[in-house]
Amino acid sequence: MDLPLNDLSMIHRFTPASAEGAPPLLLLHGTGGDESDLLPLGGLLSPGSALVSPRGRVLENGMPRFFRRSAEGVFDEADVRLRAAELGEFVAQAREHYDLARPIAVGFSNGANIAAALMMLAPEALAGAVLIRAMVPLTDPPAFDLGGKPVLILSGGMDPIVPAENAARLARQFQAGGAALTHETLPTGHGLGQMDLTIAREWLAASFG
C-alpha cells in the first residue's frame, strides 16, 4: 500500500518493502511529474522493493522539477548543487524514518539529472543509479569517487533533448569517478519505453540481486 506521508523535508510517497532483501529504490520523476508518477515503474523494476518517491520542489510554469533551468538543456548549476544537497538530506531523513538501506536512484529526465548530480556531489548518499535520458548536470563537477558503485545510463539515439555528445560526456564523468558504468544507447527518443524497463530490470537484478 502506498503511504502518502509528507512529514519529511520533501512531499513524497512511500511503499514499504514486501520482499526481504529487495533493495530500496529512490524514484525521481521528470519535468511535470510528481511523487506518484514512477511508483508503477519501481514496482516493475524491482518487485518487493521499498519505494521512496519525492516531488521536486521547483516549479516551472506550474510543473514540478528538481532544479531550475534557464532554457532546454541549460541548467542553473548553483541551483543544481543546492537542490542536490536538499535531496541528499531528504534521503538521509527517509532512511532513518523508514529504516532503509542506502537506496538505488531511478531517475527519468530531470529526475535522472538530479540523481547524477547527487552521485557526484555526495557519493555516499546512494548505492547506485539508473539514469534514463540523463544529461551532464554539472559542467565542472568536483572530483568524486564512487568506489565501483553500479551506474546504468540509458540514452536515446533519437533523443531531441539530450545530444549524443552530452550523454557520452556524462558517461566519461562517471567512469572517471570510479563508477561500475553501463551505458546503452537505445533506438528511441526521449520517452520512457519497454526497452528501458527490460534493460533496467535485468541490470538491477544482476547488480543488486
Side-chain angles (χ1 to χ4, degrees), residues 66-178:
F66 285 99
F67 58 84
R68 294 186 176 91
R69 60 182 175 180
S70 55
E72 189 78 71
V74 182
F75 301 155
D76 179 339
E77 295 197 14
D79 198 59
V80 171
R81 292 172 182 269
L82 171 66
R83 303 300 177 176
E86 290 179 349
L87 180 61
E89 177 60 27
F90 169 76
V91 170
Q93 291 175 2
R95 288 189 61 195
E96 180 177 2
H97 188 78
Y98 298 118
D99 190 23
L100 299 175
R102 189 172 284 110
I104 304 156
V106 176
F108 170 65
S109 192
N110 178 243
N113 298 335
I114 195 65
L118 183 58
M119 292 287 283
M120 294 174 181
L121 296 170
E124 71 286 351
L126 301 170
V130 176
L131 307 175
I132 303 172
R133 312 297 183 269
M135 297 182 69
V136 170
L138 297 167
T139 53
D140 187 22
F144 62 97
D145 183 7
L146 291 171
K149 288 183 180 180
V151 174
L152 172 65
I153 300 174
L154 294 176
S155 302
M158 298 174 284
D159 191 334
I161 296 175
V162 183
E165 183 281 327
N166 189 289
R169 182 153 44 103
L170 179 64
R172 291 194 297 271
Q173 287 180 336
F174 274 110
Q175 286 176 323

Side-chain angles (χ1 to χ4, degrees), residues 6-64:
N6 302 315
D7 53 347
L8 305 184
S9 61
M10 298 179 75
I11 295 171
H12 66 286
R13 295 187 73 91
F14 174 69
T15 302
S18 60
E20 187 174 352
L25 302 184
L26 174 71
L27 304 174
L28 301 167
H29 63 76
T31 300
D34 64 21
E35 64 275 17
S36 299
D37 266 23
L38 296 187
L39 289 174
L41 175 67
L44 291 170
L45 288 179
S46 185
S49 284
L51 307 176
V52 182
S53 185
R55 183 195 302 177
R57 298 176 71 176
V58 170
L59 287 178
E60 179 181 275
N61 299 321
M63 298 184 297

